[in-house]
C-alpha cells in the first residue's frame, strides 16, 4: 500500500470523525429560529399551523434561497425549489385574503411583502 492510499485509509478508521477535513455548515434554520418566527407571527412558539406563521417561515426561507442563488446562478434545483416556495406562500396569502382581509393586510405589512 502506498503512502498516499494509507493516509486516505487512515482517515476512514473506526473513529467518529472519519473525515477530519469536512466541516458541515451551520444550518440556517434551526429549532430556535423556527420557534422565534412562530412566536413572533403565530399565536405561540409551537403554533405551526396558522397561515401567518407559515407565511413568515416561507418568507424567511425564500430570502435565504434568494441570497444563495445570487452567489450560485446555475443552481437550477434551488431555483426550482424557490419557485415552488413562492407559489406555496402565494397560495397561503390568497387563502388568508379570502378568509380574513385584516389578517392578510397585517401579515403583508409585518413582513414587508408589498412595496
Amino acid at each position: 500500500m502506498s503512502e498516499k492510499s494509507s493516509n486516505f485509509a487512515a482517515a476512514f478508521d473506526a473513529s467518529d470523525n472519519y473525515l477530519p477535513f469536512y466541516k458541515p455548515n451551520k444550518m440556517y434554520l434551526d429549532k430556535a429560529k423556527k420557534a422565534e418566527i412562530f412566536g413572533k407571527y403565530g399565536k405561540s412558539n409551537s403554533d405551526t399551523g396558522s397561515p401567518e406563521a407559515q407565511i413568515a417561515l416561507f418568507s424567511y426561507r425564500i430570502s435565504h434561497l434568494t441570497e444563495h442563488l445570487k452567489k450560485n446562478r446555475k443552481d437550477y434545483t434551488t431555483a426550482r425549489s424557490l419557485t415552488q416556495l413562492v407559489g406555496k406562500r402565494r397560495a397561503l396569502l390568497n387563502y388568508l385574503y379570502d378568509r380574513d382581509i385584516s389578517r392578510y393586510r397585517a401579515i403583508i405589512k409585518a413582513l414587508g411583502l408589498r412595496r
Side-chain angles (χ1 to χ4, degrees):
M1 195 184 268
S2 70
E3 183 180 320
K4 189 173 186 178
S5 64
S6 66
N7 288 340
F8 187 73
F12 287 99
D13 281 342
S15 66
D16 290 335
N17 197 1
Y18 63 91
L19 291 175
F21 50 86
Y22 175 72
K23 293 182 181 168
N25 294 335
K26 184 177 181 259
M27 289 185 56
Y28 77 98
L29 186 62
D30 55 356
K31 289 181 181 181
K33 185 64 180 174
K34 278 187 181 181
E36 176 188 333
I37 291 171
F38 293 147
K40 185 174 181 182
Y41 297 102
K43 296 176 181 82
S44 69
N45 287 355
S46 60
D47 176 29
T48 60
S50 71
E52 292 92 342
Q54 291 182 31
I55 291 167
L57 183 64
F58 286 163
S59 296
Y60 182 78
R61 290 173 62 192
I62 286 168
S63 66
H64 174 76
L65 291 179
T66 303
E67 291 303 314
H68 171 79
L69 283 173
K70 285 180 183 176
K71 295 179 218 160
N72 305 287
R73 291 179 335 150
K74 295 185 178 184
D75 189 353
Y76 301 117
T77 306
T78 301
R80 182 171 188 272
S81 299
L82 176 63
T83 305
Q84 288 177 328
L85 266 179
V86 170
K88 285 181 180 182
R89 182 178 71 180
R90 181 74 255 161
L92 280 170
L93 285 168
N94 289 341
Y95 170 82
L96 206 55
Y97 184 84
D98 292 340
R99 299 290 187 261
D100 191 352
I101 191 75
S102 61
R103 287 169 57 194
Y104 171 81
R105 289 182 179 146
I107 195 69
I108 290 294
K109 187 174 182 180
L111 293 174
L113 293 179
R114 300 285 176 261
R115 293 191 173 129

